[in-house]
């Protein structure tokens, strides 16, 4: 079977393996044009460092539309990509000739937006004669944890919680990602964005809810906790099993919670009729329910699978309550929790460079034949062996 990324094995001799590597990462999957330089350190406990991490956010442009407009996003990436890459190389004090490889997000994401990064990276790799690695965006989010914290205890259960995804992965060894659960409907970040719109806060909604919720009472309104009455819809890989041999219940659902907020706001006469206190209370309660739901499931799965640590990554991992409650619960339950710093939580290219380094360290690279893939699975040949 041919791999979507057209993977080829790169033969590297011992002197290559010993050498420090500089990787340029490029990320254009949604509304951030990002470039970063990440280098190897040669230190086993902290093998990678970020030397530059540049992000041109389009949030201000999309705000007036209430969400990301794909065509506008693609055009803005075209405008920004050269300047962002130049800036990253400049910040890192790196020239093109100092780079050992390029890494780029192949998918999933908006196809027109992805195409800008993929075309740019392939052209640059061909021009400077360096290998290119196609990277899965969620692998990037997972690797943001390793980029910051180095070697964390494995196996780990990693929650990737962003605008497009809410998924749990088991990481049994570095670079291997096994899907253990995902949302049946909305992603948590999507729910944050929709609820923010419904209660009259702007786009992007996650940071707005986080801010406003600080002044709210998180028990002021009655919102439902998602409950599952039937088995998980997504068959899990055979090797994701608890000690009793059964797969963990690991799905998420956020659409019911979102609809409950919509109904509540309608009953109260719409967003315009809400007082500042009511907005803060709804935001705080919604945020508490999302955080509890995410953490209950993540800790359950971690305990069932005997994980030695928990990671939380993706844009929603920037949420202050999620970060606080996850760490506190980890201390109570004896499982260390690792979260990337804010700059690596939301979309960035340092995590893409890190995921690229991971593939290079496993002796993998991509030819120039791969293309952007809007719904790229993390599974399949070309992704680290054992990935699903
Ligand atoms: O990972 P990301 O930057 O892009 C995707 O891959 O989707 O995640 C973006 C999502 C958005 O839904 C945004 O509202 C949410 O992350 N987000 C937050 C916070 N900061 C960003 N959600 C809750 N609290 C935050 N502080
Ligand atoms: Zn993301």
């Amino acid at each position: 079977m041919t791999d979507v990324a057209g993977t080829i094995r790169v033969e590297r001799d011992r002197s290559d393996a010993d050498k420090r590597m500089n990787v340029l990462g490029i990320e254009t999957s949604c509304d951030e044009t990002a470039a970063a330089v990440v280098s190897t350190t040669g230190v086993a406990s902290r093998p990678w460092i970020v030397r530059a991490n540049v992000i041109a956010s389009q949030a201000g442009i999309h705000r007036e539309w209430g969400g990301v407009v794909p065509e506008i996003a693609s055009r803005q990436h075209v405008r920004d990509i050269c300047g962002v890459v130049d800036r990253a190389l400049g910040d890192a004090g790196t020239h093109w000739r100092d780079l050992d490889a390029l890494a780029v997000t192949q998918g999933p994401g908006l196809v027109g937006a992805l195409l800008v990064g993929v075309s740019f990276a392939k052209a640059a790799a061909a021009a400077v004669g360096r290998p290119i690695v196609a990277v899965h965006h969620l692998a990037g989010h997972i690797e943001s944890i390793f980029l910051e914290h180095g070697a964390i205890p494995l196996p780990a259960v990693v929650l990737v919680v962003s605008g497009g995804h809410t998924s749990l992965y088991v990481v049994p060894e570095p670079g291997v990602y096994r899907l253990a659960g995902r949302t049946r409907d909305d992603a948590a970040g999507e729910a944050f964005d929709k609820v923010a719109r419904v209660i009259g806060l702007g786009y992007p909604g996650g940071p707005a809810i986080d801010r406003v919720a600080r002044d709210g009472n998180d028990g002021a309104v009655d919102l439902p906790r998602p409950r599952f009455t039937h088995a998980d819809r997504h068959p899990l890989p055979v090797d994701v099993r608890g000690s009793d041999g059964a797969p963990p219940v690991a799905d998420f659902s956020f659409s019911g919670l979102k609809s409950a907020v919509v109904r509540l706001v309608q009953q109260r006469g719409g967003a315009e009729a809400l007082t500042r206190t009511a907005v803060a209370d709804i935001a705080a309660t919604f945020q508490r329910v999302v955080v509890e739901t995410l953490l209950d499931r993540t800790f359950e799965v971690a305990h069932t699978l005997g994980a030695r640590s928990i990671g939380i990554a993706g844009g929603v991992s920037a949420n202050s309550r999620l970060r606080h409650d996850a760490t506190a619960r980890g201390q109570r339950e004896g499982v260390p929790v690792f979260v990337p710093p804010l700059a690596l939580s939301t979309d960035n290219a340092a995590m893409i460079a890190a995921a690229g380094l991971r593939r290079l360290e496993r002796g993998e690279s991509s030819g120039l034949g791969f293309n952007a893939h809007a719904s790229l699975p993390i599974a399949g040949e070309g992704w680290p062996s054992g990935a699903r």
Side-chain angles (χ1 to χ4, degrees):
M1 199 172 91
T2 321
D3 144 37
V4 278
T7 293
I8 54 171
R9 312 288 298 187
V10 180
E11 296 305 327
R12 294 160 65 212
D13 61 26
R14 181 162 299 143
S15 59
D16 256 344
D18 288 345
K19 186 173 156 282
R20 304 281 179 273
M21 291 190 71
N22 301 318
V23 171
L24 173 69
I26 293 175
E27 152 67 38
T28 63
S29 68
C30 191
D31 62 342
E32 325 274 8
T33 314
V37 178
V38 173
S39 303
T40 54
T41 62
V43 177
S45 58
R46 187 74 189 271
W48 305 325
I49 51 159
V50 181
R51 294 180 52 196
N53 191 17
V54 178
I55 301 169
S57 173
Q58 304 175 7
I61 295 168
H62 298 288
R63 187 168 290 128
E64 84 177 90
W65 308 94
V68 178
V69 183
E71 184 56 28
I72 294 176
S74 314
R75 285 164 191 254
Q76 195 60 36
H77 285 309
V78 172
R79 286 190 196 101
D80 289 340
I81 185 103
C82 293
V84 166
V85 170
D86 263 354
R87 175 73 188 269
L89 292 173
D91 284 1
T94 310
H95 294 101
W96 285 101
R97 63 174 176 276
D98 303 324
L99 295 176
D100 296 283
L102 286 85
V104 63
T105 308
Q106 184 188 8
L110 302 169
V111 76
L114 288 164
L115 265 169
V116 178
V118 167
S119 314
F120 182 96
K122 287 203 290 191
V128 297
R130 295 292 187 274
I132 184 167
V133 218
V135 166
H136 192 284
H137 182 78
L138 299 189
H141 278 304
I142 294 170
E143 295 296 349
S144 71
I145 294 166
F146 294 85
L147 177 56
E148 175 65 15
H149 299 285
I152 69 170
L154 299 179
V157 162
V158 179
L159 170 68
V160 180
V161 63
S162 69
H165 297 86
T166 299
S167 304
L168 279 171
Y169 290 93
V170 180
V171 181
E173 62 180 272
V176 175
Y177 324 112
R178 293 195 181 125
L179 183 68
R182 60 183 147 181
T183 182
R184 293 179 183 180
D185 39 57
D186 293 354
E190 195 181 348
F192 265 100
D193 293 335
K194 284 183 187 162
V195 164
R197 201 174 313 144
V198 166
I199 60 177
L201 302 173
Y203 170 86
I209 290 190
D210 196 347
R211 230 176 7 255
V212 166
R214 288 188 191 129
D215 302 321
N217 171 356
D218 69 5
V221 291
D222 193 23
L223 291 175
R225 289 280 299 273
R227 259 189 227 101
F228 298 102
T229 50
H230 51 277
D232 284 358
R233 284 193 199 144
H234 304 296
L236 294 175
V238 284
D239 38 9
V240 177
R241 291 286 184 274
S243 48
D244 59 356
V249 177
D251 275 3
F252 297 96
S253 167
F254 293 101
S255 70
L257 175 61
K258 175 195 70 192
S259 305
V261 176
V262 172
R263 275 196 305 277
L264 180 78
V265 173
Q266 277 167 355
Q267 281 159 11
R268 296 193 180 186
E272 308 73 40
L274 296 175
T275 61
R276 276 172 75 103
T277 309
V279 169
D281 288 350
I282 295 172
T285 310
F286 166 79
Q287 180 173 268
R288 173 183 57 78
V289 175
V290 172
V291 167
E292 284 174 2
T293 308
L294 289 170
L295 293 184
D296 282 357
R297 191 83 348 154
T298 303
F299 275 82
E300 246 168 61
V301 171
H303 290 314
T304 309
L305 299 180
R308 295 181 57 224
S309 66
I310 286 175
I312 306 183
V316 181
S317 73
N319 183 268
S320 55
R321 178 154 190 175
L322 180 61
R323 296 170 85 87
H324 172 271
D325 289 7
T327 309
R329 188 160 173 176
Q331 278 162 2
R332 273 201 315 276
E333 300 192 16
V335 191
V337 174
F338 296 93
V339 187
L342 291 180
L344 299 181
S345 292
T346 45
D347 286 350
N348 66 87
M351 68 183 196
I352 301 304
L357 269 165
R358 184 71 81 198
R359 294 198 66 197
L360 289 164
E361 283 166 5
R362 294 173 69 91
E364 298 170 0
S365 167
S366 311
L368 290 174
F370 72 92
N371 207 347
H373 191 323
S375 54
L376 184 72
I378 206 163
E381 282 182 34
W383 299 107
S385 49
R388 297 216 156 56

